[in-house]
Amino acid sequence: MKTILVTGGLGFIGSHTVVELQNSGFKVIVIDNLSNSRIEVLDSITKITGTKPNFHKVDLRNKKEVKNFFDLNIIDGIIHFAAFKAVGESVEKPLEYYENNIGSLVYLLQEMRDRNIDNFIFSSSCTVYGQADKLPITENAPIKPAESPYGNTKQIGEEIIKDSCNAHKLNAIALRYFNPIGAHESIEIGELPLGIPQNLIPYVTQTAAGIRSQLSIFGDDYETPDGTAIRDYIHVVDLAKAHIAALKRLLNKDNENNFEYYNIGTGKGSSVLEIITAFQNSTGKILNYKTVERRTGDVTAAYADTTIANEKLNWKTEKTLEEALRSAWNWQEKQSNNHS
Ligand code: UD1
């Protein structure tokens, strides 16, 4: 049985990936510093899978803590989620973002080099493409200058991994996520945004739940059919499964290059208005919304060409947008019930 280290394994995408790893027969060790996650998620994962993952509270910014962890644990591969992810906050606190997202990555890669651990999966983002010149976006689309320190940490992160793969015995895959949404069907795990949500779907579900009075559509004057911006919303469980596919590719030594990168999306773009309609239709909830100015830094449209990921990873999405939105709503209702 292979042992996989999942950093940030109690976060939104991390927790769903731990579930899929355990369901696929991997032994999982989670490390997380609980800076943006809750320890209770460990029990939720245990409820879903019947197995409690091994957990260590480790702060990856602390080189000594990282080294101590690797001294005590034998690891076959790493899936690295632990990172800060708020675009606006990264503009205010760039150095914290570079320290956390880049520093941690370097320490992990150094331990991998020193201990001959050679399988690494990295959480990257479609943000590396900026406003792509052609849609759908293929992996060959040029990397555009980053719009934020957060986006820059994903670009620099990929470069650091590529250089490490060239210099050392390391095999890595970067997964460039489009917009992950939804929750596990058990509604034991889901997204837990702190404070006012920045992302569309949590804002939608909190508005439907009455926590927010009104949803703002950021701009209806984009050059799109209905004027609102287009994204590729992928169910987090489908996204989690892409990590298992990528990991198997590395463990089976099926990879053609020591550093590979894939678009992980559905291939289908939806506008903000289409999301609102789909949410209302699939949940029966009516949303109160208004249109406001565009949000700085937003692109007009981004959706994936997933041909290469489908072929090389032998993976494809299985869930519909409606299922994803319904699961996000079910999760929201559960949170609201817990707090009332
Ligand atoms: C954002 C980040 C991206 C990051 C991703 C993580 C920006 C510019 N980009 O993607 O780098 O990887 O989150 O999940 O922040 N919208 C509204 N009203 C809202 C919220 C959003 O109309 O209250 C619109 C946005 O303008 C956008 C779409 O909904 O067109 C999706 O927004 P969001 O969920 O924040 O994701 P991205 O901006 O695509």
Side-chain angles (χ1 to χ4, degrees):
M1 195 191 254
K2 298 282 185 193
T3 302
I4 307 303
L5 168 64
V6 181
T7 75
L10 300 186
F12 176 41
I13 307 173
S15 58
H16 288 83
T17 303
V18 171
V19 165
E20 296 308 321
L21 281 167
Q22 293 195 331
N23 285 344
S24 305
F26 291 99
K27 180 169 183 281
V28 178
I29 303 180
V30 168
I31 62 180
D32 201 300
N33 69 358
L34 303 175
S35 68
N36 191 18
S37 60
R38 297 190 198 152
I39 191 67
E40 292 76 20
V41 172
L42 208 54
D43 296 327
S44 306
I45 293 170
T46 312
K47 259 194 198 165
I48 300 171
T49 63
T51 307
K52 189 167 191 154
N54 196 324
F55 174 74
H56 298 261
K57 187 166 183 282
V58 173
D59 193 318
L60 291 171
R61 289 170 292 197
N62 185 327
K63 193 174 167 74
K64 212 161 159 228
E65 266 185 39
V66 177
K67 186 174 178 303
N68 287 344
F69 169 83
F70 281 94
D71 279 343
L72 297 172
N73 294 279
I74 307 284
I75 305 289
D76 297 299
I78 300 179
I79 306 184
H80 178 44
F81 293 104
F84 291 152
K85 60 174 185 182
V87 175
E89 183 186 63
S90 78
V91 178
E92 309 289 322
K93 299 179 179 173
L95 297 177
E96 279 77 3
Y97 271 68
Y98 289 117
E99 178 189 35
N100 191 41
N101 294 10
I102 302 297
S104 306
L105 173 64
V106 171
Y107 294 160
L108 277 177
L109 292 171
Q110 285 174 332
E111 295 300 330
M112 293 182 77
R113 174 198 61 196
D114 296 347
R115 297 163 199 270
N116 295 317
I117 304 168
D118 75 348
N119 303 300
F120 191 72
I121 313 274
F122 179 63
S123 292
S124 189
S125 168
C126 67
T127 194
V128 302
Y129 299 117
Q131 179 55 70
D133 305 321
K134 283 189 212 136
L135 292 165
I137 302 173
T138 70
E139 285 82 352
N140 298 324
I143 303 296
K144 294 278 173 75
E147 291 276 355
S148 68
Y150 160 76
N152 212 15
T153 66
K154 294 301 175 191
Q155 296 192 2
I156 297 170
E158 284 199 17
E159 285 172 9
I160 290 172
I161 296 165
K162 191 169 137 214
D163 290 343
S164 308
C165 286
N166 285 336
H168 311 296
K169 190 182 153 289
L170 176 70
N171 286 286
I173 293 180
L175 299 179
R176 295 175 176 166
Y177 312 150
F178 283 67
N179 292 54
I181 63 165
H184 194 265
E185 62 179 3
S186 63
I187 54 167
E188 288 294 338
I189 52 174
E191 197 169 3
L192 289 166
L194 283 180
I196 302 173
Q198 307 299 311
N199 296 117
L200 179 62
I201 305 307
Y203 211 106
V204 162
T205 59
Q206 290 197 6
T207 306
I211 301 167
R212 312 281 155 210
S213 58
Q214 195 169 44
L215 168 73
S216 296
I217 298 180
F218 296 145
D220 65 356
D221 56 352
Y222 284 102
E223 279 183 36
T224 60
D226 65 22
T228 65
I230 293 176
R231 298 289 184 275
D232 182 339
Y233 298 91
I234 175 171
H235 196 302
V236 64
V237 171
D238 279 331
L239 175 64
K241 287 179 177 168
H243 294 77
I244 316 305
L247 180 67
K248 285 185 176 164
R249 180 169 170 88
L250 292 181
L251 292 171
N252 295 337
K253 308 212 176 303
D254 289 337
N255 52 315
E256 291 151 39
N257 294 296
N258 52 13
F259 176 63
E260 297 182 336
Y261 43 90
Y262 296 102
N263 285 346
I264 305 297
T266 66
K268 188 178 165 289
S270 304
S271 72
V272 179
L273 274 172
E274 284 171 337
I275 289 293
I276 292 172
T277 306
F279 180 82
Q280 295 185 147
N281 289 343
S282 56
T283 64
K285 299 295 290 183
I286 299 299
L287 283 171
N288 179 22
Y289 64 88
K290 66 169 179 212
T291 304
V292 300
E293 290 291 293
R294 291 182 181 192
R295 180 172 68 180
T296 314
D298 274 353
V299 299
T300 302
Y303 51 95
D305 184 325
T306 61
T307 314
I308 297 182
N310 296 156
E311 263 174 35
K312 302 284 182 187
L313 298 179
N314 195 16
W315 161 90
K316 62 176 171 39
T317 54
E318 290 162 2
K319 296 186 180 283
T320 63
L321 177 64
E322 286 69 24
E323 277 176 272
L325 292 171
R326 221 175 302 123
S327 70
W329 173 240
N330 291 341
W331 170 250
Q332 178 65 57
E333 274 197 302
K334 185 178 173 196
Q335 304 314 304
S336 302
N337 290 339
N338 286 349
H339 292 111
S340 58

